[in-house]
């Protein structure tokens, strides 16, 4: 049974690309006309006494224990202990949107949703899958990719998880992506893909030409009458180390490419602003012909996914990010950290360019936190174990043929030694 409020939202979205892409859960979700919405009304008009929200309030201010205040002396009680709004701090959402535009000039003057704040990018991806993926609506991703994609799409949402080989002949595999997307479009009438640049685990970002090729594929499918959802996981956005990388998000290219395309951007401070444990991420939607009312309905559907799982994100993290984004020094400090990562990248690049291995072949990499090796013996796990036991070095085995190194977490003075050990252990396990 679909709730009447869900039916209302579905009615607003009827005939749109969103409506055609919804999973069964996407259709069912609704935001109750209950505590949150009545509390919102009271926040505006209950000037005498507001008895709506379950917090302890004195003279209009939530109480805050001194034991908390000590750790957050610069925050008022609302910034520290009060509940956050379901979709996040409105001011922070606005600032993040402005930042998305300044980082992606192609978006200037274009219409897209206000970003919704969620507890980390994982939550963003998970809610997108809740809304758009199920047993009859598969998700496509690269092979290799971040292991959480399959956990979310397949185990959590019971969807088929389709893979295209990320690289072919040392290049991003455009034709593999095209083949998978067109096959799904043909078979299911719509297609969903998650693309992640800079990529985890390879550390690859596409060139401008490759981005244009991806856009061509998406447009061709859309023009054939099929609906296309492209979820850009921009977790590592901006960490580019080579000049030929397209610096803007794929989302900026896809947001108004065709009315049959729903472009979704997942991003956030986690990796970009070096705030891994804050658990703040954002989700932003765009499609060529969505009306204002449809953007609102889609945002409400998304907030229903938040409300029905974690209710809202943590307040102190949002307050810290707000203060940081308003701090002149923030960008400067980020720049220094990015330069440090670039120095590590340069050292790794120099090592792999000057050393040959009969076992290891670096996958294309030019950005982000990681690089990976293709292990032609299929003994990535054996290499990982030896590195740990003999050299006290930790790396990740993604699959038997892929070994990932997070150079982002290895000090510059250790990089040569770490890579020498990796090459050495690869030979030993031959
Ligand atoms: C590609 C990718 N997307 C998303 C995430 C998750 O980010 P968060 O920690 O904000 O949930 C990660 C984290 O490792 C990642 O590698």
């Amino acid at each position: 049974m679909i709730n009447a409020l869900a039916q209302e939202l579905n009615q607003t979205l009827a005939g749109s690309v969103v409506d055609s892409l919804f999973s069964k859960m996407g259709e069912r979700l609704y935001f109750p006309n209950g505590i949150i919405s009545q509390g919102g009304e009271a926040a505006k008009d209950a000037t005498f006494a507001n008895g709506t929200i379950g917090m302890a309030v004195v003279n209009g201010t939530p109480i805050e224990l001194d034991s908390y205040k000590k750790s957050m002396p610069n925050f008022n009680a609302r910034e520290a202990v009060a509940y956050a709004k379901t979709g996040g701090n409105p001011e922070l959402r606005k600032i993040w949107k402005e930042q998305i535009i300044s980082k992606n000039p192609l978006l200037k003057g274009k219409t897209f949703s206000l970003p919704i704040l969620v507890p980390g990018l994982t939550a963003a991806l998970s809610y997108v899958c809740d809304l758009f993926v199920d047993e009859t609506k598969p998700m496509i991703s690269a092979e290799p990719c971040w292991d959480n994609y399959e956990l979310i799409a397949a185990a959590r949402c019971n969807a088929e998880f389709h893979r295209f080989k990320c690289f072919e002949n040392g290049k991003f595999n455009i034709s593999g992506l095209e083949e998978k997307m067109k096959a799904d479009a043909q078979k299911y009438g719509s297609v969903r893909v998650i693309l992640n640049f800079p990529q985890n685990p390879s550390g690859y970002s596409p060139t401008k030409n490759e981005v244009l090729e991806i856009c061509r594929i998406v447009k061709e499918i859309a023009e054939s009458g099929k609906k296309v959802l492209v979820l850009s996981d921009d977790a590592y956005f901006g960490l580019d180390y080579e000049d030929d990388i397209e610096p803007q998000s794929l989302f900026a290219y896809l947001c108004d490419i065709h009315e049959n395309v729903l472009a979704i951007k997942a991003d956030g401070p986690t990796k970009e602003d070096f705030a891994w444990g804050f658990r703040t991420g954002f989700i932003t939607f765009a499609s060529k012909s969505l009306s204002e009312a449809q953007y609102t309905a889609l945002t409400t559907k998304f907030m229903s996914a938040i409300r029905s799982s974690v209710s809202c994100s943590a307040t102190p993290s949002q307050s810290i990010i707000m203060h940081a984004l308003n701090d002149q020094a923030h960008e400067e400090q980020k720049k220094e950290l990015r330069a440090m990562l670039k120095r590590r990248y340069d050292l790794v690049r120099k090592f792999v360019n000057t050393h040959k291995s009969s076992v290891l072949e670096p996958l294309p990499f030019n950005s982000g936190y990681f690089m990976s090796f293709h292990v032609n013996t299929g003994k990535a796990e054996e290499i990982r174990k030896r590195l740990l036991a003999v050299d006290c070095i930790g790396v990740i085995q993604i699959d038997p043929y892929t070994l990932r190194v997070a150079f982002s977490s290895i000090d510059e003075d250790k990089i040569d030694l770490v890579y020498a050990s990796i090459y050495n252990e690869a030979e030993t396990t031959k």
Side-chain angles (χ1 to χ4, degrees):
M1 244 309 263
I2 300 228
N3 180 282
L5 291 168
Q7 279 175 20
E8 238 175 74
L9 293 170
N10 296 347
Q11 200 53 46
T12 306
L13 290 162
S16 73
V17 61
V18 176
D19 174 47
S20 319
L21 286 165
F22 266 153
S23 65
K24 290 191 200 88
M25 189 193 293
E27 285 170 15
R28 285 196 305 272
L29 283 170
Y30 64 93
F31 202 84
N33 264 345
I35 296 158
I36 297 292
S37 67
Q38 294 172 41
E41 281 176 39
K44 277 189 237 131
D45 296 330
T47 48
F48 181 68
N50 183 356
T52 59
I53 296 289
M55 296 193 294
V57 176
V58 176
N59 288 331
T61 304
I63 55 159
E64 183 186 6
L65 298 178
D66 280 343
S67 48
Y68 300 144
K69 213 188 265 284
K70 268 201 286 199
S71 302
M72 298 182 273
N74 294 328
F75 293 167
N76 62 42
R78 289 212 175 271
E79 293 175 305
V81 293
Y83 275 130
K85 291 198 181 316
T86 313
N89 178 326
E91 189 59 23
L92 178 54
R93 293 172 66 189
K94 226 174 90 212
I95 294 176
W96 195 258
K97 183 167 186 176
E98 285 159 12
Q99 293 223 339
I100 289 179
I101 297 170
S102 79
K103 291 183 245 184
N104 298 275
L106 257 180
L107 287 170
K108 239 179 242 160
K110 294 191 177 172
T111 303
F112 58 100
S113 78
L114 189 63
I116 305 164
L117 189 141
V118 291
L121 272 90
T122 307
L125 307 174
S126 188
Y127 294 140
V128 168
C129 286
D130 283 350
L131 254 63
F132 297 108
V133 162
D134 64 26
E135 43 282 278
T136 63
K137 302 193 156 95
M139 178 61 99
I140 301 173
S141 191
E143 166 94 69
C145 67
W146 190 39
D147 59 8
N148 216 354
Y149 294 166
E150 184 166 8
L151 179 64
I152 293 170
R156 183 185 162 88
C157 297
N158 203 20
E160 284 177 30
F161 191 61
H162 295 168
R163 320 284 294 257
F164 69 98
K165 210 168 147 220
C166 196
F167 302 105
E168 193 81 322
N169 303 321
K171 288 214 148 57
F172 184 70
N173 185 12
I174 291 285
S175 58
L177 171 67
E178 178 165 10
E179 203 180 293
K180 282 283 172 213
M181 284 184 71
K182 289 189 170 167
D184 266 18
Q186 196 57 36
K187 185 162 175 198
Y188 301 94
S190 58
V191 50
R192 294 146 185 80
V193 63
I194 177 164
L195 293 170
N196 162 226
F197 305 123
Q199 209 237 6
N200 179 3
S202 68
Y204 188 72
S205 286
T207 60
K208 192 166 201 103
N209 269 344
E210 286 167 336
V211 166
L212 293 178
E213 274 296 284
I214 296 170
C215 292
R216 172 191 62 74
I217 299 166
V218 170
K219 196 163 184 188
E220 278 178 21
I221 298 172
E223 281 173 347
S224 77
K226 316 282 193 227
K227 314 289 179 194
V228 190
L229 181 156
V230 183
L231 171 53
S232 302
D233 178 348
D234 292 346
Y236 302 87
F237 186 84
L239 295 163
D240 301 341
Y241 310 127
E242 299 287 351
D243 293 336
D244 61 349
I245 295 172
E246 165 55 58
Q248 298 193 59
S249 168
L250 191 56
F251 176 85
Y253 284 85
L254 297 177
C255 73
D256 59 350
I257 197 167
H258 195 280
E259 44 275 357
N260 284 342
V261 177
L262 177 62
I264 307 181
K265 180 174 177 24
D267 59 14
T270 306
K271 316 275 183 178
E272 242 191 273
D273 292 66
F274 310 101
W276 309 279
F278 283 9
R279 313 315 299 142
T280 48
F282 292 93
I283 202 80
T284 309
F285 299 103
S287 184
K288 193 172 181 181
S289 54
L290 281 190
S291 65
E292 205 49 51
Q294 288 174 326
Y295 274 115
T296 304
L298 176 53
T299 299
T300 307
K301 284 278 188 182
F302 198 84
M303 293 205 308
S304 315
I306 300 174
R307 177 68 175 154
S308 60
S309 53
V310 294
S311 194
C312 62
S313 304
T315 298
S317 304
Q318 298 184 47
S319 303
I320 296 171
I321 296 284
M322 266 289 286
H323 282 234
L325 294 182
N326 284 320
D327 184 339
Q328 299 282 334
H330 183 66
E331 266 314 304
E332 210 41 54
Q333 289 167 15
K334 271 175 65 181
K335 228 186 248 169
E336 278 169 31
L337 279 188
R338 281 203 298 259
M340 180 193 76
L341 292 183
K342 165 83 161 83
R343 287 197 300 277
R344 292 178 183 183
Y345 166 82
D346 286 338
L347 288 169
V348 175
R349 168 64 56 205
K350 187 164 163 219
F351 189 100
V352 300
N353 282 354
T354 53
H355 292 76
K356 280 271 156 278
S357 163
S358 62
V359 177
L360 304 172
E361 184 62 43
L363 294 178
F365 70 109
N366 53 18
S367 55
Y369 279 33
F370 313 105
M371 60 82 65
S372 287
F373 289 105
H374 175 72
V375 182
N376 65 23
T377 53
K379 292 184 178 172
E381 177 63 357
E382 220 175 296
I383 299 172
R384 182 190 76 82
K385 282 202 168 131
R386 274 195 67 84
L387 277 166
L388 200 53
V390 179
D391 309 275
C392 301
I393 291 170
V395 294
I396 297 285
Q397 180 244 183
I398 300 287
D399 60 51
Y401 292 92
T402 314
L403 194 71
R404 188 191 79 176
V405 187
F407 60 78
S408 61
S409 55
I410 303 176
D411 292 325
E412 277 164 66
D413 60 351
K414 290 187 178 155
I415 283 183
D416 271 4
L417 277 173
V418 165
Y419 277 77
S421 301
I422 295 172
Y423 276 52
N424 184 37
E425 296 303 355
E427 285 305 314
T428 313
T429 55
K430 243 192 341 189

